[in-house]
Amino acid sequence: MWRRYVIFGLLVLASFFCTEAIAGSRSHHQAQAVLDTDGNQLQVEREYYIVSAIRGGGGGGVTIGKRESSSSRTPTVRQHSYDMNLGSPVTFTPISNSAEEMLIWEEFDGVQYLKEMSSEENRIEEQVDLNIGFSGLKRVWQVEEANSETSSASSSQTTRYVTLKGQPGHPGSSTVRNWFKIERISRSNPEYRITYCPSVCESCHVECGNVGITEENGKRWLSVSQHRDFPFVFVRARHSKDQ
């Protein structure tokens, strides 16, 4: 019996040092929280609108559409052309939540010990892999290569649209195209770019890029490119409940 308590004590000590190491690493890198237009930190499970930071002709918020030129009719993320349209609310889920890293102790004597998330761990930080999904939908954003019929055009470069085919969570090679990061581009204003350069699979070959806008048939679609980006701001959805 005493051996069980010794093992339990060792697990407690191991989890303590692991937590301290993670905290020290975060402090060292000085992770910055992503802010909304009110200057508040973005929080996990809260709803926000992703809206163009360019006022007057920059378009509005993002929502869901289907490209007429796509044979698959896959739901694709698009931007409203009207500035005052905030689009559809989204939620952000960082990799730490998706991977369920809050479970730090093994099962012991039939009891599972969980580490509860603090308010700081519940915030969205810059340069952290995360899933982006529209509120109420099961699928998340995914970078998808263009279909063969579009890649056969005169241009040698294909357009990688942002679709809604991703499975949330499960970081690894099978979901590598589902992970995005947020990077601040203005220190005077909370303006950001959304980047695609996931860190969830070290062995995977990923062509990194920034999320920008591709115009097609009079509509604006989110796509990934190495040569352009688009500044966004995050607007809190007012109907979203406080957590």
Side-chain angles (χ1 to χ4, degrees):
M1 177 66 69
W2 64 270
R3 290 183 178 178
R4 291 185 175 182
Y5 291 101
V6 171
I7 294 173
F8 178 74
L10 292 174
L11 287 172
V12 173
L13 287 174
S15 65
F16 172 78
F17 287 116
C18 180
T19 302
E20 289 295 310
I22 293 174
S25 176
R26 287 185 175 181
S27 176
H28 176 72
H29 292 289
Q30 297 181 338
Q32 298 294 318
V34 179
L35 306 178
D36 63 20
T37 51
D38 294 323
N40 298 319
Q41 297 180 358
L42 266 62
Q43 299 290 316
V44 176
E45 296 183 356
R46 286 186 179 175
E47 297 179 354
Y48 299 88
Y49 297 106
I50 301 177
V51 183
S52 168
I54 303 173
R55 310 311 300 170
V62 300
T63 187
I64 311 166
K66 290 188 177 181
R67 295 172 46 240
E68 297 175 1
S69 60
S70 172
S71 60
S72 66
R73 305 293 290 172
T74 300
T76 305
V77 184
R78 72 179 184 91
Q79 181 202 23
H80 281 290
S81 57
Y82 181 46
D83 286 22
M84 300 304 293
N85 193 326
L86 297 178
S88 304
V90 305
T91 57
F92 303 95
T93 306
I95 187 172
S96 58
N97 294 56
S98 302
E100 297 181 348
E101 290 180 357
M102 55 193 299
L103 182 61
I104 59 174
W105 291 347
E106 302 259 334
E107 184 173 310
F108 181 77
D109 274 355
V111 180
Q112 227 173 30
Y113 295 89
L114 297 177
K115 170 191 170 186
E116 295 183 358
M117 291 177 61
S118 67
S119 58
E120 184 166 317
E121 290 174 318
N122 207 36
R123 72 181 189 177
I124 303 299
E125 296 179 344
E126 297 178 35
Q127 303 291 356
V128 171
D129 289 289
L130 48 79
N131 288 147
I132 306 175
F134 288 104
S135 181
L137 299 183
K138 294 182 179 180
R139 293 291 179 173
V140 297
W141 292 16
Q142 181 184 84
V143 177
E144 182 179 61
E145 298 290 345
N147 292 329
S148 57
E149 62 265 25
T150 46
S151 62
S152 62
S154 57
S155 175
S156 60
Q157 294 183 345
T158 60
T159 301
R160 297 184 292 167
Y161 291 97
V162 179
T163 68
L164 278 178
K165 292 179 62 178
Q167 178 186 15
H170 307 285
S173 59
S174 63
T175 64
V176 69
R177 291 185 290 129
N178 305 344
W179 299 95
F180 298 82
K181 297 178 182 179
I182 300 174
E183 178 182 339
R184 188 163 183 167
I185 58 177
S186 171
R187 288 303 161 188
S188 58
N189 298 301
E191 297 180 4
Y192 298 87
R193 67 165 63 96
I194 299 174
T195 65
Y196 170 68
C197 198
S199 308
V200 299
C201 177
E202 294 182 358
S203 61
C204 297
H205 172 72
V206 176
E207 185 178 351
C208 298
N210 299 319
V211 175
I213 303 297
T214 294
E215 295 194 18
E216 181 182 81
N217 298 327
K219 294 184 178 180
R220 303 181 178 189
W221 304 95
L222 268 63
S223 61
V224 171
S225 170
Q226 293 180 329
H227 308 293
R228 65 175 182 273
D229 57 26
F230 200 78
F232 293 99
V233 294
F234 304 104
V235 181
R236 174 77 184 275
R238 296 304 176 186
H239 65 271
S240 181
K241 296 181 180 180
D242 291 334
Q243 300 295 325

